[in-house]
């Protein structure tokens, strides 16, 4: 028996709570989605939020539920379940895991960058993590076979690590200060390799596109190209604040040299902490650069798909799609 409604059933929870047409609205949205505290939620809490959302979509409101609690449930649901497939995402692949995972990996990359084995190991760890994130936050609902996933992982990590090693070799001919920036240059270059390779199925077969009412119109490779380009730009900028934290670290280390000389073990924790502080803001703000529900003019789609849409939906001039994260 349905519970008595305590709030309106007309709230549009298919869309974010804040206006996604503005950067501020997108930033508020992603500060909630990427909140690191979301990874501490138990399976029971995730399932409870999922049930609240599924029930609400059917017009059933949990007794005593407030609007704020509904939106909280939506963001818990969005942080853990894929928007296209509805599947629970891998824990370390969720955007809420970006800050703790990246601050640890980036801190280690900044600390252990002097030898080739160290660079190789931490770049492999970093690109393996990126591969998981890229797979977890892919666009579309088409299944991926184990062979396809394995091939994408090997090609993505190998290419990205090789790029990092090449840049590391070049760094030996520059000053030590510039050499410190090699990990970030490697991360930027590797993102240009890892993301397209892990999402190569989208480039080959396209991603779902819809009209403004979420009616599916087909799959487009052109839309996939725009989506992946936007994600690459966001990820590169997401890593760049680490450079600022590094400069801050160098200033701190020089300023309190005597203390660091007596307690050298403090260097790594300071670096990791500052990187983490930067990422708390960089992650949601860079995700907010582009709307997750991206759009494209029909005239920019593949010619065959344009003809199909104009024949079946003559009034549609713009299509929409999930770009992934």
């Amino acid at each position: 028996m349905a519970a008595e409604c305590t709030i309106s059933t007309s709230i549009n929870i298919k869309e974010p709570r804040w206006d996604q047409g503005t950067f501020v609205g997108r930033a508020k949205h992603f500060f909630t989605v990427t909140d690191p505290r979301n990874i501490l939620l138990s399976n029971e809490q995730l399932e409870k939020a999922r049930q609240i959302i599924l029930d609400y979509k059917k017009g059933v409101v949990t007794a005593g539920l407030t609007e704020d609690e509904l939106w909280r449930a939506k963001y818990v649901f969005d942080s853990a379940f894929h928007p296209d497939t509805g599947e629970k995402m891998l824990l370390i692949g969720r955007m809420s895991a970006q800050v703790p995972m990246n601050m640890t990996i980036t801190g280690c990359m900044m600390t252990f960058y002097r030898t080739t084995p160290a660079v190789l190991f931490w770049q492999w760890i970093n690109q393996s993590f990126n591969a998981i994130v890229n797979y977890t936050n892919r666009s579309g609902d088409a299944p991926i076979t184990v062979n396809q996933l394995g091939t994408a992982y090997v090609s993505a990590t190998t290419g990205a690590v090789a790029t990092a090693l090449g840049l590391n070799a070049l760094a030996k001919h520059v000053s030590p200060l510039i050499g410190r920036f090699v990990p970030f240059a490697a991360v930027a270059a590797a993102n240009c390799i890892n993301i397209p390779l892990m999402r190569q199925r989208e480039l080959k077969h396209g991603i779902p596109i819809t009209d403004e009412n979420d009616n599916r119109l087909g799959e487009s490779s052109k839309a996939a190209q725009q989506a992946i380009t936007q994600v690459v730009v966001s990820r590169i900028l997401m890593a760049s604040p680490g450079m600022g934290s590094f400069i801050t670290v160098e200033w701190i280390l020089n300023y309190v040299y005597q203390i660091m000389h007596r307690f050298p073990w403090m260097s790594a924790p300071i670096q990791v902490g500052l990187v983490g502080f930067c990422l708390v803001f960089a992650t949601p703000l860079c995700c907010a650069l582009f709307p997750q529900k991206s759009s494209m003019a029909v005239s920019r789609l593949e010619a065959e798909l344009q003809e199909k849409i104009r024949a079946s939906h003559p009034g549609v001039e713009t299509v929409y799609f999930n770009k992934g994260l």
Side-chain angles (χ1 to χ4, degrees):
M1 183 175 178
E4 183 180 351
C5 295
T6 55
I7 59 175
S8 170
T9 56
S10 62
I11 300 172
N12 184 13
I13 59 170
K14 291 183 179 181
E15 300 294 334
R17 188 173 192 176
W18 298 279
D19 180 12
Q20 296 301 283
T22 67
F23 177 77
V24 172
R26 294 195 297 272
K28 290 180 179 179
H29 167 70
F30 282 110
F31 265 108
T32 308
V33 171
T34 64
D35 188 339
R37 293 173 296 180
N38 289 339
I39 64 173
L40 301 177
L41 298 173
S42 66
N43 286 330
E44 289 76 16
Q45 289 173 303
L46 295 179
E47 287 301 324
K48 180 180 178 180
R50 178 175 177 272
Q51 196 58 52
I52 288 174
I53 297 304
L54 292 180
D55 286 345
Y56 187 84
K57 288 179 178 179
K58 297 175 184 176
V60 179
V61 181
T62 303
L65 187 72
T66 66
E67 184 173 344
D68 284 341
E69 290 171 340
L70 174 65
W71 283 112
R72 171 59 183 161
K74 172 190 164 48
Y75 276 102
V76 168
F77 176 80
D78 286 351
S79 73
F81 296 88
H82 193 277
D84 292 328
T85 66
E87 297 175 350
K88 185 181 292 184
M89 296 184 287
L90 296 170
L91 180 63
I92 64 172
R94 300 173 193 170
M95 293 309 292
S96 52
Q98 282 284 295
V99 172
M101 291 298 297
N102 269 324
M103 67 181 287
T104 302
I105 294 173
T106 303
C108 290
M109 289 171 65
M110 291 174 67
T111 304
F112 308 107
Y113 71 97
R114 293 180 177 85
T115 66
T116 297
V119 171
L120 179 62
F121 177 75
W122 286 109
Q123 283 294 340
W124 172 72
I125 290 292
N126 183 51
Q127 295 310 319
S128 294
F129 169 65
N130 284 341
I132 293 172
V133 173
N134 296 334
Y135 167 75
T136 303
N137 295 280
R138 67 196 184 281
S139 176
D141 52 10
I144 301 176
T145 67
V146 174
N147 286 339
Q148 289 173 330
L149 184 59
T151 301
Y153 168 75
V154 171
S155 58
T157 52
T158 301
V161 169
T163 301
L165 290 176
L167 288 172
N168 189 62
L170 291 175
K172 294 178 181 179
H173 304 289
V174 298
S175 69
L177 179 61
I178 295 177
R180 278 276 194 165
F181 290 92
V182 168
F184 297 100
V187 166
N191 273 323
C192 296
I193 298 171
N194 194 314
I195 295 173
L197 286 175
M198 283 304 296
R199 295 177 60 175
Q200 58 186 280
R201 192 188 187 287
E202 299 171 36
L203 295 171
K204 292 178 181 177
H205 304 287
I207 58 176
I209 57 172
T210 68
D211 62 16
E212 61 182 0
N213 297 316
D214 292 330
N215 296 311
R216 192 160 176 163
L217 304 175
E219 288 76 35
S220 171
S221 296
K222 295 283 188 181
Q225 292 172 17
Q226 175 176 304
I228 291 172
T229 298
Q230 291 178 344
V231 171
V232 169
V233 171
S234 294
R235 294 286 189 84
I236 290 175
L237 293 176
M238 202 179 292
S240 63
M243 296 183 184
S245 69
F246 157 72
I247 294 172
T248 305
V249 167
E250 289 297 308
W251 179 81
I252 292 175
L253 295 183
N254 290 329
Y255 186 72
V256 292
Y257 175 77
Q258 294 300 325
I259 297 177
M260 292 296 106
H261 184 70
R262 293 175 57 191
F263 306 102
W265 57 269
M266 292 179 64
S267 177
I270 289 175
Q271 291 187 97
V272 172
L274 286 172
V275 169
F277 177 78
C278 289
L279 287 171
V280 165
F281 298 95
T283 300
L285 292 178
C286 289
C287 284
L289 289 175
F290 308 100
Q292 185 168 356
K293 186 177 181 180
S294 194
S295 62
M296 175 181 280
V298 172
S299 59
R300 293 179 56 198
L301 299 173
E302 299 87 329
E304 183 179 341
L305 188 54
Q306 288 184 43
E307 293 178 7
K308 176 184 174 182
I309 293 174
R310 285 170 178 154
S312 58
H313 299 78
V316 174
E317 296 295 333
T318 303
V319 296
Y320 302 87
F321 51 90
N322 169 31
K323 72 174 178 63
L325 290 174

